[in-house]
Amino acid sequence: HVQLVESGGGSVQAGGSLKLSCATSGYSSALPGYCMGWFRQAPGKEREGVALTTPGDSSTYYVDSVTGRFTISQDKAKSAVYLQMNSLKPEDTAVYFCAAARKWPYDWKAARGMDYWGQGTQVTVS
């Protein structure tokens, strides 16, 4: 069973930066074989995908609204995943979740197909 714990959230002014971290435990040795992603849920809205990275070649994918501003990365030795967020906007305000999938998540942008989820960390941009 994979456990995910997010950290690094907080409050920041528009234009600022934050770096979110996701620590994994449990079957952490399997992390290199998992798709890892970051997702967010704003008040009154559905959860949505933000960024995804795949095992093997570590390809990365982003939703249009964060492309060029956010960067997802992995440290496989530490079994950790990160989300560097730059040029933050008020519309980025949400609870951010880390998630893992054993295989390609069939609709990751709609937050579907992930197998394990963290509890989330709040990001507030004013």
Side-chain angles (χ1 to χ4, degrees):
H1 182 70
V2 175
Q3 294 176 316
L4 309 172
V5 179
E6 303 93 337
S7 62
S11 297
V12 64
Q13 292 187 334
S17 299
L18 283 174
K19 185 174 183 178
L20 305 182
S21 299
C22 175
T24 70
S25 61
Y27 294 139
S28 59
S29 62
L31 180 61
Y34 282 66
C35 291
M36 300 297 300
W38 285 96
F39 302 79
R40 65 187 181 187
Q41 188 166 17
K45 294 188 176 181
E46 297 290 323
R47 191 173 298 186
E48 63 176 359
V50 174
L52 190 78
T53 184
T54 56
D57 63 359
S58 299
S59 296
T60 56
Y61 304 85
Y62 301 92
V63 293
D64 290 346
S65 60
V66 307
T67 297
R69 300 189 298 124
F70 291 12
T71 303
I72 186 171
S73 61
Q74 292 189 70
D75 185 334
K76 296 179 180 179
K78 295 182 179 179
S79 296
V81 182
Y82 307 98
L83 185 69
Q84 176 67 48
M85 305 185 295
N86 299 326
S87 302
L88 283 160
K89 304 175 181 180
E91 51 264 44
D92 295 318
T93 294
V95 177
Y96 283 71
F97 299 88
C98 175
R102 292 185 293 268
K103 59 183 180 180
W104 176 259
Y106 64 96
D107 192 4
W108 72 272
K109 292 184 179 181
R112 299 192 183 104
M114 307 305 289
D115 297 304
Y116 304 102
W117 291 87
Q119 293 187 328
T121 184
Q122 177 71 46
V123 171
T124 303
V125 185
S126 60

